[in-house]
Amino acid sequence: MTSRLVSVAVDSADPVASARWWARALGWRVVASEPDEVEIAPAEAREPTLVFLAVAEPKTVKNRIHPDLASQSARDQRETVDRLVAAGATPVDIGQREVPWVVLADPFGNELCVLEPRDRYRDAGALAAVVVDALDPSELAGFWAAATGWTVGFEADGITSLHHPRDRPPDLDFVRVGEPKRTKDRLHLDLVAPGGDVGAEVQRLVGLGAVPADVGQGDVPWAVLADPEGNELCVLPSRDV
């Protein structure tokens, strides 16, 4: 059995404000709220959700994981960009050059893309994909496919896209970049261990190439690992942790 990809966790100096902004951006709702942790989800209860976690450290470098938002038409793309900018997002240049999507940063500095219309994402919801920077997209996607049971749905030069077992977005896209990971990720993926057995799942993931990681988590019921390119991930005993 494989782990279940349940959420994308986002570091934030103000989880409540971050969650509210993203809930409006995506048309999602807050499903759990504590001062230091807020979760939002789409109305149809589709995973992964977004969980915003309180951290003291500021953002200093480009995130290696970011969300892609879908659009249904060229007009919808323009209106989505305008709406997000009016809500506090800003255009950013991360070296994307001439591309059909628009790169923004949310009010807290986290990069996101508003995609041009794509058949894959028509009527699929606001969140099209979660994008992970990778030195070797195919190799890293192989680890995550084995970890989660997601399958390769698309592969081209510099990108490998994993699709949910039910073949519905959001996808998990691995995109080639030249820069290696240097600091703790401000976004990471959360997995739930099969049967809640964290220890057994940690052993399995380590066998696939993960390594234990210490991010100051202390004595907690979940485990923190890093994937083969150093991206942190958490293995949870249940969805409620």
Side-chain angles (χ1 to χ4, degrees):
M1 293 181 67
T2 58
S3 287
R4 194 167 103 243
L5 175 57
V6 294
S7 56
V8 180
V10 185
D11 289 354
S12 174
D14 189 338
V16 173
S18 294
R20 286 175 178 166
W21 192 89
W22 275 97
R24 289 191 295 268
L26 295 169
W28 289 13
R29 58 194 175 92
V30 174
V31 295
S33 182
E34 300 290 340
D36 60 352
E37 182 174 335
V38 185
E39 181 179 12
I40 66 172
E44 65 271 23
R46 179 178 293 181
E47 294 175 340
T49 64
L50 294 180
V51 178
F52 298 86
L53 305 173
V55 299
E57 300 80 15
K59 180 178 185 287
T60 57
V61 299
K62 172 184 171 288
N63 290 335
R64 293 185 71 81
I65 299 177
H66 73 264
D68 277 354
L69 277 60
S71 68
Q72 303 304 309
S73 65
R75 177 178 178 178
D76 182 44
Q77 183 187 28
R78 291 192 301 272
E79 290 178 347
T80 298
V81 170
D82 290 345
R83 175 172 59 85
L84 296 180
V85 169
T90 54
V92 293
D93 184 350
I94 56 172
Q96 66 267 25
R97 300 184 180 178
E98 293 296 324
V99 292
W101 56 87
V102 178
V103 184
L104 303 174
D106 71 13
F108 317 96
N110 300 299
E111 295 84 8
L112 65 109
C113 294
V114 181
L115 301 179
E116 76 285 1
R118 299 183 185 182
D119 289 342
R120 168 74 179 166
Y121 303 129
R122 292 194 186 280
D123 304 318
L127 183 61
V130 177
V131 181
V132 182
D133 289 355
L135 297 176
D136 189 328
S138 181
E139 284 290 325
L140 192 57
F143 167 84
W144 280 98
T148 63
W150 291 36
T151 57
V152 175
F154 173 80
E155 192 159 23
D157 184 36
I159 180 171
T160 301
S161 179
L162 296 185
H163 292 181
H164 188 278
R166 291 196 293 274
D167 194 31
R168 51 95 178 131
D171 300 330
L172 190 57
D173 291 349
F174 298 86
V175 177
R176 179 174 290 120
V177 298
E179 308 81 21
K181 179 178 180 288
R182 291 190 170 88
T183 64
K184 173 181 172 290
D185 290 333
R186 291 185 70 82
L187 286 82
H188 71 263
L189 304 182
D190 286 337
L191 308 176
V192 166
D197 192 338
V198 172
E201 185 61 358
V202 165
Q203 288 186 341
R204 187 181 77 89
L205 295 176
V206 168
L208 294 173
V211 295
D214 185 351
V215 295
Q217 66 267 23
D219 185 15
V220 293
W222 61 86
V224 183
L225 302 175
D227 73 14
E229 289 200 9
N231 301 298
E232 293 85 9
L233 64 104
C234 289
V235 182
L236 313 177
S238 74
R239 189 67 183 84
D240 299 326
V241 172

